[in-house]
Amino acid sequence: MLYELLMPFADFGFMRRALMGCIAISLSAAPLGVFMLLRRMTLVGDALSHAILPGVAVGYLLSGMSLVAMGAGGFIAGLAVALLSGLVSQRTALKEDASFAGFYLGSLALGVTLVSVRGSNADLLHVLFGSVLAIDGASLLQIGAICSFSLLALAVIFRALVIASFDITFLRVGAGRWQLPVHVLFLGLVVLNLVAGFQVLGTLMSVGLLVLPATCARFWSNSLSGLIAIAVITGILSSLIGLEWSFYAHLPAGPAIVLTAALAFCFSVCFGRCGGIFRA
């Protein structure tokens, strides 16, 4: 029984690389997802996952299926949308969520158009939905470098993020000059993780391992450390089970991973010990 469960990873290198990539993303993206949940920014993450598409498309037009070029373009585009949305919300009466919605819808349409200009439907599907089983050694190293940097940067701003999540007034009064840099760096880390996730799950579903594990954790713990630990574990288990499921049921791997995380969310909503429907 145990051999049957581990057989795909023992016998096939592409399955091991896919799992390692998903684990790396879970380790760095899940803690960011927890802070996005606490700051009520989960839909911002979804908007940013679409916003990186034009940059990915420009990288594709310039260099073909070069993950470095596409990742760099996606990071620049996502960060630009985040900064522009914040600027518009500050200078106008429009709220930040509405500003993000306007920019990300335009970005999504522009990205799909740019990819379609030069590429085929297969290229468009690869960009939108990823190809987790096609991760090679170079891609895995890039994902690992991004996730390692993200964890180090998160450690630097961790205390400020905790304060911003629970007492934004204190941050504004006690260290007002740090509020904007911390927020911008946090958004930058979110975009960076979405860029890493796009290589695995595509631009449309890269937000899955960012948001879903964090929302699951909310139903199982009320402490910050517990939320982060449960979110990371949920992301890793969703990746493992999703890859197993896709292998034996002949399903696309990326959607299987996100669907597994979504099923974990539904289970948590129903039976979570911290506010679950049947445990309230």
Side-chain angles (χ1 to χ4, degrees), residues 11 22 265:
D11 292 352
C22 291
F265 168 72

Side-chain angles (χ1 to χ4, degrees), residues 212-221 230-231 234 238 260-280:
L212 286 172
T215 55
C216 291
R218 181 62 185 85
F219 290 96
W220 298 99
S221 178
I230 293 172
T234 301
S238 296
T260 302
L263 291 174
F265 168 72
C266 293
F267 178 83
S268 300
V269 169
C270 293
F271 303 106
R273 66 184 184 88
C274 299
I277 294 174
F278 299 111
R279 297 290 295 273

Side-chain angles (χ1 to χ4, degrees), residues 1-279:
M1 180 66 179
L2 181 60
Y3 173 76
E4 291 180 356
L5 291 175
L6 298 179
M7 186 270 289
F9 305 103
D11 292 352
F12 301 103
F14 66 88
M15 291 291 289
R16 292 194 295 272
R17 289 191 294 271
L19 181 59
M20 290 300 102
C22 291
I23 289 175
I25 293 170
S26 298
L27 288 172
S28 64
L32 291 173
V34 169
F35 283 110
M36 294 189 75
L37 179 69
L38 294 175
R39 302 177 72 180
R40 300 180 181 179
M41 294 175 61
T42 50
L43 290 180
V44 171
D46 183 58
L48 287 175
S49 71
H50 295 79
I52 68 174
L53 185 54
V56 171
V58 170
Y60 169 75
L61 291 175
L62 294 176
S63 305
M65 297 301 290
S66 168
L67 291 180
V68 175
M70 294 166 70
F75 177 75
I76 293 172
L79 192 59
V81 167
L83 295 177
L84 285 172
S85 299
L87 181 64
V88 169
S89 64
Q90 288 182 354
R91 298 294 180 88
T92 68
L94 199 65
K95 297 294 185 181
E96 190 174 32
D97 58 344
S99 178
F100 265 107
F103 279 110
Y104 100 75
L105 288 171
S107 298
L108 178 61
L110 176 61
V112 171
T113 301
L114 289 175
V115 175
S116 301
V117 165
R118 176 176 168 181
S120 62
N121 288 335
D123 294 328
L124 180 60
L125 289 174
H126 177 79
V127 171
L128 292 178
F129 299 106
S131 184
V132 62
L133 298 182
I135 296 177
D136 56 17
S139 301
L140 191 58
L141 287 175
Q142 184 179 345
I143 293 171
I146 290 174
C147 295
S148 298
F149 172 80
S150 177
L151 286 172
L152 291 174
L154 181 61
V156 172
I157 63 172
F158 186 83
R159 173 174 283 187
L161 281 178
V162 173
I163 295 173
S165 300
F166 294 101
D167 192 357
I168 186 62
T169 303
F170 176 81
L171 182 64
R172 288 172 178 168
V173 175
R177 67 184 184 277
W178 295 108
Q179 181 187 354
L180 182 59
V182 167
H183 184 65
V184 171
L185 182 55
F186 176 70
L187 288 177
L189 292 178
V190 171
V191 173
L192 199 59
N193 278 264
L194 290 172
V195 167
F198 125 78
Q199 301 182 27
V200 177
L201 301 173
T203 57
L204 292 186
M205 291 190 296
S206 59
V207 72
L209 288 179
L210 183 74
V211 171
L212 286 172
T215 55
C216 291
R218 181 62 185 85
F219 290 96
W220 298 99
S221 178
N222 288 321
S223 69
L224 180 59
S225 58
L227 287 172
I228 293 175
I230 293 172
V232 169
I233 293 171
T234 301
I236 293 173
L237 289 178
S238 296
S239 301
L240 176 63
I241 295 171
L243 287 171
E244 290 269 6
W245 186 16
S246 71
F247 182 84
Y248 287 109
H250 305 289
L251 297 173
I257 292 170
V258 177
L259 183 57
T260 302
L263 291 174
F265 168 72
C266 293
F267 178 83
S268 300
V269 169
C270 293
F271 303 106
R273 66 184 184 88
C274 299
I277 294 174
F278 299 111
R279 297 290 295 273

